[in-house]
């Protein structure tokens, strides 16, 4: 299962809320023995515009149901102290794969990881570059030490890219079904957090 945390088109405070909510979610996932992998994240100046995570575990359904929907953060702006607005919103959108992608549909290339990671990062070809043959959609994953784990995440990221690609191909009428990524319901919050310490006050 995939969850997308999104600030939609909200201001920077909503991006800060996304980063705080994701951190809270990761801690809660440990309590439910749900394995979470961050497939991709889009940073903003102060937080995250969005983050895509995959979930795996027996309580995945329970955890996803607890978070899917609108999340509200009640707090004076940490970057604009004189701003009158004190309610910031983000959305958590759930995507359950409707189809599986076979390895035969993807070309995998195993390469050495790059970037920070200490002395072990470049010793093995654990990073994975994957390309979907039919659409030429390409991704690179190197977040895990294991080649097998990175291959699995690459397939999930390919699925997500395919979802986005197919969404772009549908008619204008069907696109209304996916407008949740750009608009957030400002009421009926699934969870409400308060203050800079991001304390949960309603669930």
């Amino acid at each position: 299962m995939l969850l997308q945390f999104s600030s939609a088109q909200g201001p920077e405070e909503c991006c800060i809320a996304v980063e705080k909510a994701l951190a809270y979610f990761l801690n809660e996932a440990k309590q439910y023995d749900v394995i979470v992998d961050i497939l991709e994240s889009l940073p903003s100046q102060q937080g995250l515009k969005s983050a895509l995570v995959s979930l795996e575990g027996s309580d995945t359904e329970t955890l996803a149901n607890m978070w899917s929907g609108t999340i509200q953060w009640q707090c004076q702006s940490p970057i604009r102290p004189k701003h009158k607005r004190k309610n910031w919103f983000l959305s958590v959108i759930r995507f359950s794969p409707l189809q599986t992608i076979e390895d035969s549909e993807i070309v995998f290339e195993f390469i050495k990881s790059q970037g920070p990671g200490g002395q072990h990062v470049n010793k093995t070809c654990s990073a994975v570059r994957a390309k979907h043959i039919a659409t030429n959609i390409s991704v690179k994953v190197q977040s895990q030490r294991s080649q097998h784990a990175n291959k699995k995440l690459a397939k999930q990221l390919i699925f997500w890219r395919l979802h986005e690609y197919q969404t772009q191909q549908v008619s204008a009428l069907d696109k209304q079904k996916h407008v949740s990524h750009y608009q957030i319901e400002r009421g009926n919050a699934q969870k409400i957090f308060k203050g800079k310490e991001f304390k949960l006050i309603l669930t």
Side-chain angles (χ1 to χ4, degrees):
M1 184 182 298
L2 304 178
L3 288 183
Q4 184 189 49
F5 291 70
S6 176
S7 65
Q9 296 177 331
E12 191 63 31
E13 289 85 352
C14 294
C15 298
I16 295 173
V18 168
E19 186 172 50
K20 288 179 177 291
L22 179 60
Y24 194 101
F25 174 82
L26 293 175
N27 284 329
E28 192 165 76
K30 294 177 182 178
Q31 301 172 19
Y32 283 84
D33 291 324
V34 172
I35 299 172
V36 180
D37 287 298
I38 300 176
L39 297 181
E40 64 177 4
S41 59
L42 182 61
S44 67
Q45 292 182 348
Q46 303 283 339
L48 293 173
K49 292 181 179 179
S50 66
L52 178 69
V53 301
S54 68
L55 312 181
E56 185 175 352
S58 58
D59 281 335
T60 291
E61 192 79 22
T62 300
L63 187 62
N65 287 339
M66 290 169 54
W67 280 83
S68 298
T70 298
I71 307 297
Q72 180 179 354
W73 180 33
Q74 298 177 351
C75 185
Q76 186 173 0
S77 171
I79 54 177
R80 295 184 290 174
K82 295 183 180 180
H83 200 285
K84 293 181 179 180
R85 180 176 169 182
K86 294 184 179 180
N87 287 294
W88 316 100
F89 297 89
L90 65 127
S91 65
V92 180
I93 309 167
R94 166 181 170 169
F95 299 90
S96 296
L98 301 177
Q99 62 192 44
T100 57
I101 302 175
E102 301 298 332
D103 284 6
S104 60
E105 299 177 60
I106 303 173
V107 175
F108 294 98
E109 180 185 1
F110 301 100
I111 55 181
K112 289 184 179 180
S113 297
Q114 298 177 340
Q119 58 181 337
H120 303 292
V121 72
N122 289 314
K123 287 192 174 182
T124 60
C125 294
S126 60
V128 176
R129 182 180 288 120
K131 183 174 74 171
H132 188 249
I133 298 172
T135 59
N136 280 329
I137 293 173
S138 180
V139 302
K140 180 183 177 182
V141 177
Q142 62 177 31
S143 57
Q144 305 294 321
R145 289 281 181 87
S146 161
Q147 185 182 97
H148 175 75
N150 282 330
K151 181 179 178 181
K152 181 179 178 181
L153 293 179
K155 286 181 67 176
Q156 293 178 323
L157 195 49
I158 285 283
F159 169 83
W160 173 253
R161 290 277 189 260
L162 279 172
H163 168 81
E164 290 186 318
Y165 174 80
Q166 291 164 355
T167 300
Q168 292 170 1
Q169 302 303 311
V170 297
S171 67
L173 180 62
D174 288 337
K175 283 184 180 180
Q176 293 176 8
K177 299 177 183 177
H178 304 280
V179 76
S180 57
H181 179 59
Y182 302 101
Q183 295 180 355
I184 299 176
E185 184 182 1
R186 292 300 196 266
N188 195 27
Q190 181 78 355
K191 289 180 180 291
I192 298 178
F193 295 87
K194 187 173 183 179
K196 293 183 179 180
E197 67 277 8
F198 210 69
K199 182 179 180 181
L200 181 63
I201 61 173
L202 175 66
T203 183

